[in-house]
Amino acid sequence: TPSTLAHIRSLSPAAARSSVSPGLRVKVRFVKKANVNGRLTRKLKWYGGVVSGVADGGKRIKIQYDDGTSEVTEFPEKDIVIDDRGNGRHA
């Protein structure tokens, strides 16, 4: 929800890092670029996953995505949102 996003983005980096832990569901936003009829278009798409590891006091997290891929990334990051509902998979 917009209020949840606003709350998460208002946290200081230290507060966000101290609240992240393995097992939390996350949504990660990616920008997909495509050439449609000669025009470059951008589409934002959210992918769901689970935090599977935390390192450096929460500065780096490993995300296991629902599609089976994974990545290690810095945290907090504007395109990573802790899922407030724990509602399972995301498309």
Side-chain angles (χ1 to χ4, degrees):
T1 66
S3 62
T4 301
L5 287 173
H7 170 71
I8 290 168
R9 290 181 177 149
S10 72
L11 292 175
S12 70
R17 288 181 188 124
S18 69
S19 66
V20 70
S21 62
L24 289 176
R25 291 234 14 111
V26 292
K27 297 176 188 176
V28 183
R29 182 174 58 185
F30 288 88
V31 177
K32 295 183 111 182
K33 296 179 183 176
N35 190 333
V36 178
N37 298 327
R39 295 181 62 203
L40 184 64
T41 62
R42 293 174 12 123
K43 181 179 178 183
L44 300 176
K45 183 153 179 153
W46 291 91
Y47 291 90
V50 175
V51 175
S52 60
V54 178
D56 299 329
K59 291 181 182 178
R60 297 184 64 73
I61 62 172
K62 182 174 184 179
I63 300 170
Q64 182 71 41
Y65 291 99
D66 295 340
D67 66 3
T69 61
S70 65
E71 76 169 321
V72 176
T73 186
E74 293 186 13
F75 186 81
E77 214 281 332
K78 67 180 178 69
D79 293 322
I80 301 172
V81 178
I82 302 298
D83 189 348
D84 69 323
R85 297 198 176 131
N87 59 359
R89 299 169 97 71
H90 302 284

